[in-house]
Structures are given as structure tokens and as C-alpha cells.
Amino acid sequence: MTILAALLFLMLVGAIIAVETTNLLSAVISVGAVGFLLSIAFLFLGAPDIAITQLVVEILCLVILIRATISRDLTAVSGEREFFGMVVGVALVVLVALAGIAAFEQFPPFGEPVMARFPDDAPSATYLAEGLDRTGAANIVTAVILDFRAYDTLGEATVLFCAILGALALMRRRARRQRDGDETEEGDAA
Amino acid sequence: MNDPHAKEGMSLIVKTVTRWLKGFLLLYGAYIVLYGHLTPGGGFAGGVIVACAFILVFLACGAGIGHRTLGRLAASELDSAGALIFTAVGALGIALGGVFFRNFIRTPPEAHFRLLSSGVIPVCNIAIGLKVGTSLFMVLAILSAVHVAVKGGRRRMVRRREDKS
Amino acid sequence: MIYALCLMLIAVGLYGVVVKKNVVKIVISLAIMEYGINLLLILVGYRAGGHAPIMEPGASPAEFAAGAVDPLPQALVLTSIVIGLGVLAMMVAICIRLYERYGTFDITEMRRLRG
């Protein structure tokens, strides 16, 4: 509990640095620090699957951010939006925070899972008790994502495919060549 | 030394270490994928580790050698193969079990905690690992293949390699 | 207490999204928000002193089920993390496109240059 609070506090500090710093490279590295601390927090929360995934995804995320954006010529960031936009933004954040605090009253106290509210018919309890017999997988998380709820994983694969397809379509150059005519042609030849 | 791509990428030390490391990384990724139903891990984490192995080669040795290790065509074919295997397993569930994504291979209780157990879950793990790994490698290769340069007062995307020469 | 810290993490991300001008900063803030939401989902399923939902040989299922954390949020977050990476790659691609079109990462400049 104390360790978790300390980790969360460090994550908060890293997030504030990432949002507020004027150097883009330090912002990206601070996000990396937040992600690695999150991975450690997952280990303390009894989720080693997620900890491994978060760790490697964070590495890849850093590589993509640094490789694709930081090598541009400008790395310094200047200022915030004008005063009115800033006031509206802060008001929105305060509103969302108040709504979140109101929602937390419905949450179970920390350390008590949601499935404990339905002691007889919670789906998670069924997965835990019968997962090994019904699927044969010792890792119940894998049993859930690939057997009980494989539709989720199918949807996830579709979303990932669409995201990659979108990135591909955004980065290709042939469409621009048709629209811009000759200008991009010489760019290709160069 | 006659290799045209030999001068690309980072220094000799990084390249040598990469040559040693990439096999271990692939092995670790394959372990995470294959033992996903017994230990922490699974298709997602293992797939990202496999992608990291290829991306390490890509970044350390340059795009030429990186694409020789895993070409863009091969990557997209493996990606499609992963998606096809996954949906085929789901469709076989209809044919053999009556329900989409039914686990149609029953596991007897004495086979628990073995590598070859739990029916279609290892197959699905391998499919997901293939899909996630190759598609993430592809997206990094695409994102780092072009960059924006200013030429004659106009910005346009150029290939990184052409720009260097 | 823990929930409040997690909410503050989400709020910091939201603040970055609505206040910052730089597109890359907005992408980074979205990533921070995503971390906060993932952590919140895992926290909801945590059982005090619970162990990971991975069975060991010889454990009885009933005993295991009484002491393990909730596996369902973990399965959801596992897919959510990978989707987050794909979405981040797509956002970075959009950033590169915007930079090519406008020559800047500043969204207020983009508004002025439109036309």
C-alpha cells in the first residue's frame, strides 16, 4: 500500500514533468519513466502479465516517439494557449476531477475486488474456479482472453490492424503524387 | 565489406552486440509466446518482444540490413497469416464445437501444466504473437522510412537514405 | 487515497491535452491519460494480499479462487495496452503529416495557416 502510493506519487511527478517541460526529448523520456513505474506498480498489484506487456510496449513506444518525432528540427516547445483557452481547459479538468471524485463513492474500498460484491455469480469467480478444468490453461488471464472472451481479442486484432493500416495510408506518397502533380515527383527523384 | 549497407547505422560495437543479442531476444519472445498458457506472458507480450528484436536490428544496422532480416512483404504476409490462423481457429470452433471460438480440443486433467495442453490456446497465442510482432515492426519501418525535408521552400517527404547521400 | 492519486494522473493527462499547443505534447498527454485509466482498471480488481491469477501445480481450485486478484480487468487492460500502442503509432503518423503540411507542430499556427 505504501509502496504503491510512493510509486503513484513518482508517476505523478513524472507526468507533470512530461507535460510541463519545454524540451520535447525530456518530455518523451519522462513519459518513459512513467511507463516503467507503471510496470512496477502492476507487479505489486498481482498482474505479471500486464507488467511484462507494459514494459515491452513502453520500450517500443519510446522508440517510435523518439525516432519519428524528435529527429525533426525543432525540439523546443513554447508556451501554452491564450488565456481564455487556458481558463476553459482548467475548468474542464476540474469538472472531470469532480465527476471522478463523485464516481469513486460507488467504487469498492481499495483492496476489495469488484467481484466480491456478487459472491455467488460473478463471472470472474467462475473463471478463477473453473478456468483450469474448462480450458486447461494454468494462466487464467490467457484463458480469459483466448477462450472465454476470444471475441475481445478478435476485436483487438481488428483495431490493431486498422491502426496500422491508417498509419500506412497516412505515410504513403502515391496519393499525394496524384493530387499535387509534378511537385512531388521531383521530390521522389531527389 | 563489399556490402553496400555496411556503412549504414550505428557504430561497430553496437552492430556486434546486436548480432549477438538478436537471437536471444527472438528466443525469449518465442518462449514467452509458447508458454503463455502456463506462465505470465502470452501472444501480446511475446509478439512485442519479437518486434523489438527486429527493430533493434533495424535501428542498429540501418534500414537495408533491417529489411533483409525481415522484408516488408514477408512482414505483411506473416501479419496476414497470424490473422488468418486466428480466425480459422474461431471458424473451426463452429465446425467442430458449434460455437465460434469454441475450444474444441478437450484437455484431460492429467495433461494440465504441460506445454501441449489447453487445446487451441497455444495456437491462438502463436497467431496473436505473429500478428502483433510483425505489424508493430512494419509500423516502425514505415514511420522511420520517410522524413520531412525542406527543399526549394517546400516541405515534402523524402526517403531517409536518399537524403543522407 | 490510491484512487485519488490515480485520478490525479488522469487529470494531469487531460490538462496536457486541453492546454498544450504542441501536437507531440498532446500525444504524450494522451499516453499519460491511458496509463492512468489502465492503472485504475487494475486497481478496481485488486484484492489486498492477493496473488496473481496463475495456478501452480497442486493448488486446489477453490483455495486459489479465494485468494487471487480479479483476472477480468487484467485481460481487458492487456488488450488495451497493445491497442494504445497501435493508436500511438497512428497519432505519430498524423503528426508527421501535419508537420509536412504546415511546417510546425503548433496547433495555433496551424489554425492561422489554414486556407
Side-chain angles (χ1 to χ4, degrees):
Chain A
M1 178 79 183
T2 319
I3 297 174
L4 206 60
L7 278 173
L8 260 165
F9 182 72
L10 284 177
M11 278 169 66
L12 208 53
V13 171
I16 290 172
I17 292 175
V19 170
E20 283 301 327
T21 182
T22 53
N23 190 338
L24 224 48
L25 186 61
S26 13
V28 170
I29 289 172
S30 305
V31 166
V34 175
F36 289 132
L37 286 168
L38 182 63
S39 159
I40 300 173
F42 283 153
L43 271 183
F44 277 105
L45 287 169
D49 290 276
I50 318 236
I52 294 175
T53 313
Q54 173 69 37
L55 192 68
V56 287
V57 161
E58 187 57 45
I59 293 169
L60 211 52
C61 173
L62 275 184
V63 169
I64 287 177
L65 274 174
I66 291 178
R67 176 81 174 173
T69 59
I70 304 303
S71 51
R72 305 278 169 271
D73 48 359
L74 77 169
T75 54
V77 189
S78 63
E80 271 118 31
R81 293 195 192 190
E82 61 271 24
F83 182 70
F84 180 70
M86 179 131 175
V87 167
V88 170
V90 171
L92 179 70
V93 170
V94 169
L95 211 64
V96 169
L98 287 178
I101 289 169
F104 282 153
E105 290 176 3
Q106 306 288 323
F107 274 39
F110 178 69
E112 194 179 304
V114 179
M115 64 176 175
R117 279 193 186 172
F118 316 99
D120 296 326
D121 52 354
S124 308
T126 316
Y127 297 154
L128 281 172
E130 300 173 17
L132 182 64
D133 287 333
R134 280 168 59 172
T135 68
N139 186 348
I140 305 295
V141 177
T142 305
V144 171
I145 62 171
L146 289 179
D147 194 305
F148 292 115
R149 300 204 169 202
Y151 277 108
D152 268 4
T153 313
L154 185 67
E156 183 275 343
T158 316
V159 171
L160 188 66
F161 181 75
C162 289
I164 305 297
L165 199 68
L168 237 164
L170 280 166
M171 296 304 289
R172 74 176 174 171
R173 292 174 299 164
R174 193 168 299 152
R176 289 192 58 78
R177 193 179 300 156
Q178 281 169 1
R179 203 177 66 207
D180 289 354
D182 50 352
E183 340 178 320
T184 323
E185 289 279 358
E186 61 190 59
D188 285 345
Chain B
M1 277 295 125
N2 295 324
D3 196 341
H5 301 303
K7 290 238 174 82
E8 282 180 12
M10 300 185 185
S11 68
L12 182 66
I13 299 171
V14 179
K15 283 185 189 174
T16 312
V17 172
T18 302
R19 208 177 304 139
W20 278 86
L21 266 183
K22 68 181 179 193
F24 287 112
L25 270 174
L26 282 176
L27 187 67
Y28 183 55
Y31 166 77
I32 292 270
V33 170
L34 288 177
Y35 279 80
H37 56 297
L38 300 178
T39 54
F44 294 107
V48 182
I49 292 173
V50 169
C52 279
F54 287 119
I55 284 169
L56 179 67
V57 177
F58 191 87
L59 290 181
C61 304
I65 292 178
H67 275 308
R68 202 186 301 156
T69 315
L70 181 66
R72 206 175 283 182
L73 189 66
S76 70
E77 277 171 358
L78 281 175
D79 189 1
S80 315
L84 272 180
I85 292 171
F86 193 56
T87 43
V89 166
L92 273 178
I94 295 184
L96 299 175
V99 184
F100 197 50
F101 278 120
R102 174 118 190 168
N103 196 346
F104 52 84
I105 305 172
R106 304 299 301 173
T107 309
E110 63 269 16
H112 287 162
F113 306 108
R114 302 246 181 87
L115 178 56
L116 285 176
S117 68
S118 66
V120 297
I121 288 181
V123 184
C124 287
N125 257 333
I126 291 170
I128 294 286
L130 270 180
K131 172 146 187 52
V132 170
T134 49
S135 58
L136 290 179
F137 169 74
M138 252 190 346
V139 79
L140 190 107
I142 290 160
L143 282 182
S144 61
V146 289
H147 74 160
V148 181
V150 179
K151 272 186 190 159
R154 285 186 165 275
R155 292 173 303 276
R156 55 181 64 105
M157 290 189 171
V158 290
R159 284 196 172 277
R160 240 173 233 279
R161 221 183 308 154
E162 293 165 5
D163 190 63
K164 255 180 204 165
S165 58
Chain C
M1 162 76 177
I2 300 276
Y3 286 146
L5 280 171
C6 196
L7 182 70
M8 276 167 74
L9 194 64
I10 299 173
V12 167
L14 188 63
Y15 169 80
V17 171
V18 294
V19 166
K20 290 293 162 185
K21 284 200 302 188
N22 192 299
V23 183
V24 180
K25 271 288 178 66
I26 291 176
V27 171
I28 285 172
S29 308
L30 277 171
I32 290 173
M33 248 173 109
E34 188 206 321
Y35 293 160
I37 289 165
N38 285 345
L39 184 60
L40 186 63
L41 284 174
I42 294 290
L43 283 174
V44 167
Y46 180 65
R47 187 198 293 273
H51 51 77
I54 294 163
M55 284 191 106
E56 288 165 12
S60 82
E63 218 172 89
F64 169 76
V69 300
D70 198 341
L72 200 49
Q74 297 197 11
L76 299 182
V77 169
L78 197 59
T79 53
S80 147
I81 289 174
V82 180
I83 286 176
L85 185 57
V87 170
L88 182 114
M90 188 163 162
M91 284 193 291
V92 166
I94 292 174
C95 287
I96 295 175
R97 264 294 177 208
L98 284 175
Y99 185 77
E100 186 212 22
R101 180 87 171 76
Y102 295 104
T104 175
F105 278 138
D106 194 329
I107 51 172
T108 53
E109 291 287 318
M110 283 171 204
R111 203 184 301 152
R112 266 178 224 131
L113 287 170
R114 187 179 58 197

